[in-house]
Amino acid sequence: MEKINAVISGIGGYVPEDILTNEDISQLVDTSDEWIRTRVGIEERRILRGEGKGTSYMGIRAVQQLLEKTGVNPEEIEVVLCSSTTPDFGFPTTASVIAYNTGCVNAMTFDLQGACSGFLYGLETAANYIRSGRYKKIVLVSGDKMTSITDYTDRNTCPLFGDGCGAVLLEPTTEPVGIIDTILKTDGSGLSHLIMKGGGSAYPSSHETVDNHMHYVYQDGKYVFKHAVSYMAAVSLEIVEKNGLKKEDLDWVVPHQANLRIIDAVANRLGIADKVMINIQKYGNTSAGTIPLCLWEYEDQLKKGDDIILTAFGAGFTWGAVYLKWGYDGKKA
Ligand code: UT7
């Protein structure tokens, strides 16, 4: 029997219409357009406004676009997996909300939380469901409403984040394309350096947690920066070497979009500065959304067989790299 692999066979995306500019942010905290552009590389980010609109609002639209573009009947989808750190609710899952509103009525649904590495963790999970031979059509939705956990009185974090969501379809293939290799890592000693402390079971929501700003992202920026650069570069080099690739073989590298200086440093260490997908300037850090939104925007430049490295780093710390061969000549619907 031929070996079954998992391949991304389509992609959808959604970013909210409302734009939050650096100028808007500098009305809220002591910062400037110049500081944000030069230190982080962000020019603007999207913000999902409106009461009751959570991550599912964006996920539903990304999945609707994905199903339209691929022409797949939602009733054929067997799994809807949502990777997000900003679920709509404590429970039920965001995946169940998305499946219900996109007509994926026959799907098993579950959420996964991998912070900024969430797309890679979701991809590895979904790919193995496909490789098992049991599932043939899986939708992975990955993204965040980061503005819902951003403290707009904290200049260290509030310029960084935005909202957005991507969705990919994974199907089986016996062709030499798809998710070739994955390396995922965790270092739990990063806990206190990047965390939203309140609202979980350790510190349930109370007047005190709200007063202490514990429902927002806390980040020790410098510490996270150093680890993001060294860990993403190391794991990307590890997957390149493990698979006998040369840097000339690589068509694209897709790094998590947290800081343009991190992206540049990782690209330089890999020696591939001209083949990097970048959209941080428009969307900021959408956490689990950054990598699928890059693939979504660059889709029409992708060709079947392209060698692509995805790499991410986030809270936990969690990080990793995926080596994939793109499955189709890309074009937008
Ligand atoms: O997605 C998950 C992973 N996250 C990341 O990978 C993010 C990693 N970290 C970073 O991207 C950067 O560390 C930041 C963008 C968060 C901060 O940049 P930095 O160059 O590391 O700045 P810093 O924290 O070392 O601060 C340098 C200076 C400080 O002033 P002093 O102490 O030198 O006088 C800060 O108070 O910049 C100041 N500063 C600001 N100034 C203007 C910090 N934030 C701002 C601001 N506007 N928004």
Side-chain angles (χ1 to χ4, degrees), residues 13-254:
Y14 179 83
V15 289
E17 279 167 21
D18 278 327
I19 292 173
L20 202 58
T21 65
N22 289 347
E23 210 45 60
D24 296 331
I25 303 260
S26 58
Q27 305 295 315
L28 304 171
V29 290
D30 180 18
T31 189
S32 65
D33 178 47
E34 208 255 330
W35 192 94
I36 300 170
R37 277 176 198 257
T38 52
R39 303 306 294 167
V40 198
I42 299 173
E43 291 164 21
E44 58 187 39
R45 71 287 293 141
R46 301 299 176 98
I47 181 167
L48 181 61
R49 295 189 197 275
E51 203 180 321
K53 289 183 184 166
T55 296
S56 75
Y57 181 90
M58 301 184 289
I60 289 164
R61 280 150 186 81
V63 173
Q64 282 168 339
Q65 188 189 66
L66 170 70
L67 295 172
E68 232 166 75
K69 283 169 73 175
T70 54
V72 170
N73 179 344
E75 293 180 12
E76 288 175 57
I77 302 297
E78 296 154 306
V79 181
V80 174
L81 165 54
C82 177
S83 190
S84 181
T85 307
T86 51
D88 281 23
F89 311 111
F91 68 88
T93 63
T94 306
S96 65
V97 180
I98 293 170
Y100 178 70
N101 286 283
T102 52
C104 298
V105 290
N106 296 314
M108 165 173 91
T109 55
F110 64 99
D111 284 5
L112 176 156
Q113 202 235 81
C116 294
S117 311
F119 184 68
L120 305 191
Y121 274 73
L123 208 53
E124 173 68 350
T125 306
N128 284 313
Y129 273 77
I130 296 281
R131 290 180 190 126
S132 75
R134 173 85 167 75
Y135 300 91
K136 305 223 164 9
K137 282 189 170 44
I138 299 184
V139 168
L140 167 62
V141 196
S142 190
D144 278 287
K145 184 185 171 187
M146 289 305 288
T147 62
S148 68
I149 55 168
T150 298
D151 182 351
Y152 286 98
T153 65
D154 175 16
R155 74 172 183 171
N156 291 304
T157 52
C158 78
L160 308 177
F161 300 107
D163 302 333
C165 224
V168 294
L169 180 67
L170 283 134
E171 292 187 271
T173 181
T174 50
E175 290 187 61
V177 291
I179 319 295
I180 308 294
D181 197 10
T182 303
I183 303 174
L184 296 175
K185 306 207 181 201
T186 309
D187 173 4
S189 72
L191 174 78
S192 61
H193 301 283
L194 183 49
I195 187 169
M196 185 181 91
K197 231 172 172 179
S201 55
Y203 299 96
S205 311
S206 66
H207 288 291
E208 200 187 337
T209 62
V210 171
D211 290 346
N212 290 328
H213 293 220
M214 286 165 69
H215 299 269
Y216 296 125
V217 177
Y218 165 80
Q219 176 173 249
D220 176 352
K222 254 198 168 74
Y223 189 91
V224 174
F225 187 103
K226 273 191 226 153
H227 285 76
V229 172
S230 61
Y231 285 0
M232 276 202 284
V235 76
S236 300
L237 285 170
E238 187 182 337
I239 208 162
V240 163
E241 280 163 22
K242 191 175 157 211
N243 289 278
L245 294 163
K246 293 190 218 63
K247 70 177 186 202
E248 312 77 84
D249 298 333
L250 296 179
D251 294 292
W252 294 101
V253 172
V254 193

